[in-house]
């Protein structure tokens, strides 16, 4: 199915608006973690993506190295992450989540999921069915958009 340019633009606007409002609502749950959004996001990368170098973590979060150093310093001071020697490079370290960091992140993720599930239960059966059916395609759309943004500086095609 091909969508005309005007319909595609309207859909893009609706998706953008929906994503922004959903993320704002989830931020309220994220505050219960006690971390800043930047620290919680970096911790999420470590918990769900595994240990990584400071540079890789900075790229994943789209921040400069010195900014990520400060974020990791804060996570380390809170006992939520630690630096360990890199197995392949004596000059590098890996950042990994601690058990406390993993537990905190899983709690934060559960709060987000609980809010979304509650929202799904408040929709009509037809709406919920459509959202459930669309979820895998939204994940794929996010991948395609991220790749386009990474590949050409985010300029639209």
């Amino acid at each position: 199915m091909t969508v005309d340019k005007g319909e595609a633009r309207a859909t893009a606007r609706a998706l953008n608006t929906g994503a922004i409002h959903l993320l704002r609502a989830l931020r309220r749950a994220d505050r219960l973690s006690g971390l800043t959004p930047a620290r919680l996001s970096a911790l999420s990368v470590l918990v769900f993506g595994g240990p990584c170098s400071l540079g890789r973590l900075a790229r994943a979060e789209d921040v400069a190295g010195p900014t990520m150093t400060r974020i990791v310093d804060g996570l380390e001071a809170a006992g939520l992450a630690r630096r360990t020697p890199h197995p392949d490079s004596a000059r590098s370290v890996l950042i990994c989540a601690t058990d406390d960091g993993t537990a905190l992140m899983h709690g934060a993720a559960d709060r987000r999921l609980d809010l979304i599930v509650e929202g799904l239960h408040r929709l009509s059966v037809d709406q919920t069915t459509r959202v459930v059916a669309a979820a895998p395609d939204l994940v794929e759309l996010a991948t395609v958009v991220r790749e386009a943004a990474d590949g050409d500086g985010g300029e639209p095609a």
Side-chain angles (χ1 to χ4, degrees), residues 100-153:
D100 286 346
T102 299
L104 184 142
M105 190 66 242
H106 282 287
D110 285 345
R111 282 189 294 278
R112 279 179 158 231
L113 296 177
D114 290 346
L115 276 176
I116 294 169
V117 167
E118 181 182 329
L120 287 170
H121 286 147
R122 292 180 178 200
L123 296 176
S124 72
V125 172
D126 287 344
Q127 288 172 313
T128 301
T129 300
R130 288 192 304 270
V131 170
V132 168
D137 292 332
L138 290 171
V139 172
E140 181 62 23
L141 176 61
T143 299
V144 170
V145 169
R146 184 176 54 248
E147 288 171 355
D150 290 345
D152 64 14

Side-chain angles (χ1 to χ4, degrees), residues 38-60:
R39 287 181 184 172
L40 189 63
S41 185
L43 185 60
S44 176
V45 171
L46 297 172
V47 169
F48 298 115
C52 61
S53 68
L54 191 71
R56 188 169 135 228
L57 187 56
R59 284 188 301 278

Side-chain angles (χ1 to χ4, degrees), residues 6-21:
E7 189 175 9
R9 189 102 178 138
T11 300
R13 184 174 287 112
L15 286 169
N16 184 61
T17 299
I20 288 168
H21 289 283

